[in-house]
Amino acid sequence: MSSRRHDPLAQVSDFDIRLLRIFRSVVECGGFSAAETVLGIGRSAISQQMSDLEQRLGLRLCQRGRAGFSLTEEGREVYQSALQLLSALESFRTEVNGLHQHLRGELIIGLTDNLVTLPHMRITHALAQLKERGPDVQIQIRMIAPNEVEQGVLDGRLHVGVVPQASALSGLEYQPLYSERSLLYCAVGHPLFYADDKQLDDERINAQDAIAPTFRLPAEIQAHYQALNCTASASDREGMAFLILTGRYIGYLPDHYASLWVQQGRLRALKPATRFYDLSLASVTRKGRRPHLVLESFLESLAATR
């Protein structure tokens, strides 16, 4: 019956690595006594650690006694192997730390359109910090409808997205970023453009042709559209702006997005004290995603700008 040879060191544990570090110090110091100061432990403790290492390896590593300290032939070979192992571990640690300091890879972001005019500029600041930390990071921004952003994050085409926060989809995580206010606008040429707000009743406003978004919104915001006579639709805010600027439709737009046209005298808000809603925007990532250092760095920067 054949016997299987026992491997005395089938696995290298953290304890083994600690013993090898002590062994290296003992060898480099030339003995147990000289290693006491370097290691910060007593001679008897060092002797015990060396005995533990010899037992773990099944080898006699050194001679110690009145004749002084000396390595055995096996001890010299173990010392050389220990140097290689500890050097490799240090190189691994340095390289991993370097990955944190010098990010590499890509970040693919899906954004709801027309967030860049938000005064907070948190996405812009987070991207700036990411680029500063990782000059070699490749950033791709895709401006797509909110529904497509969520689907892109779900199927892995996007690492992260920013969308209006409605009911959460299964498989996605949402982190609130900020909110924006939307007002009800009409453009020059529309019958209501020069109407006095004090004389403008809700019944007349609700009778006008209006635009409804096709992307998901919270129920309390959908109620604002249900009150209107929505005869057109758009998948994003830019599409809604196109239709409003025809002077034939009314519709809601974020106030930061519409402000330039308001200043130019091309848009006006209808009864802004009452016809408005506040919409929360959130970053969205996939639950259970694989570790992605570039993405985590961007999310950290995004959270830090709150």
Side-chain angles (χ1 to χ4, degrees):
M1 183 176 183
S2 62
S3 61
R4 180 177 296 176
R5 182 183 175 185
H6 174 64
D7 187 348
L9 203 63
Q11 293 183 339
V12 178
S13 66
D14 291 341
F15 180 64
D16 295 320
I17 292 171
R18 179 172 177 272
L19 294 179
L20 288 170
R21 291 186 191 279
I22 293 173
F23 175 55
R24 179 184 64 182
S25 295
V26 169
V27 174
E28 292 174 352
C29 291
F32 293 3
S33 297
E36 286 183 277
T37 303
V38 173
L39 294 173
I41 57 177
R43 180 174 177 176
S44 61
I46 295 174
S47 179
Q48 181 60 54
Q49 304 276 24
M50 288 299 92
S51 295
D52 290 341
L53 180 59
E54 288 177 330
Q55 185 176 0
R56 284 284 293 157
L57 297 177
L59 297 170
R60 182 75 170 172
L61 300 178
C62 58
Q63 303 291 342
R64 54 264 204 192
R66 294 181 181 180
F69 174 85
S70 63
L71 288 175
T72 64
E73 185 62 33
E74 291 84 359
R76 281 190 287 271
E77 292 188 22
V78 169
Y79 173 67
Q80 292 300 322
S81 296
L83 289 180
Q84 294 176 23
L85 172 62
L86 296 175
S87 176
L89 287 173
E90 182 60 24
S91 296
F92 174 77
R93 184 187 67 82
T94 300
E95 288 179 12
V96 170
N97 287 341
L99 288 175
H100 284 272
Q101 295 170 2
H102 305 289
L103 298 175
R104 298 179 182 85
E106 67 176 1
L107 182 68
I108 307 175
I109 311 172
L111 296 180
T112 299
D113 63 317
N114 300 304
L115 294 179
V116 72
T117 50
L118 268 167
H120 315 297
M121 296 294 286
R122 286 178 50 190
I123 297 171
T124 300
H125 292 325
L127 288 172
Q129 290 176 17
L130 177 65
K131 192 62 177 174
E132 181 178 356
R133 186 176 172 188
D136 296 327
V137 170
Q138 309 230 341
I139 299 171
Q140 295 184 37
I141 293 181
R142 299 178 183 173
M143 305 301 300
I144 49 182
N147 298 350
E148 295 179 40
V149 172
E150 290 175 308
Q151 186 57 49
V153 174
L154 271 175
D155 62 27
R157 288 180 290 115
L158 302 174
H159 295 123
V160 61
V162 177
V163 296
Q165 189 164 10
S167 57
L169 293 182
S170 175
L172 294 179
E173 292 180 343
Y174 298 81
Q175 291 296 327
L177 293 177
Y178 34 46
S179 65
E180 62 179 11
R181 173 157 292 189
S182 288
L183 303 176
L184 185 61
Y185 291 96
C186 69
V188 64
H190 192 277
L192 301 186
F193 189 79
Y194 294 108
D196 186 345
D197 271 348
K198 294 180 180 178
Q199 300 176 355
L200 192 56
D201 58 62
D202 287 333
E203 185 176 350
R204 186 179 177 193
I205 291 176
N206 295 342
Q208 305 299 314
D209 286 328
I211 310 152
T214 58
F215 51 86
R216 296 188 316 117
L217 289 170
E220 63 272 17
I221 292 179
Q222 291 177 11
H224 289 270
Y225 291 96
Q226 291 168 356
L228 299 175
N229 177 34
C230 293
T231 59
S233 63
S235 63
D236 50 54
R237 284 99 69 90
E238 187 170 0
M240 299 177 78
F242 267 113
L243 289 171
I244 295 170
L245 287 165
T246 65
R248 300 294 182 266
Y249 297 91
I250 62 173
Y252 285 96
L253 291 175
D255 56 2
H256 61 86
Y257 176 45
S259 62
L260 180 60
W261 290 309
V262 172
Q263 293 170 23
Q264 293 172 347
R266 299 181 63 191
L267 287 183
R268 66 157 290 192
L270 301 170
K271 301 186 74 170
T274 56
R275 304 302 288 252
F276 71 88
Y277 63 78
D278 294 321
L279 177 63
S280 294
L281 295 160
S283 64
V284 56
T285 52
R286 186 171 56 181
K287 289 181 181 178
R289 62 185 182 274
R290 293 180 179 178
H292 188 292
L293 194 56
V294 173
L295 172 58
E296 302 311 322
S297 179
F298 172 72
L299 294 176
E300 285 176 15
S301 298
L302 204 55
T305 58
R306 290 180 185 173

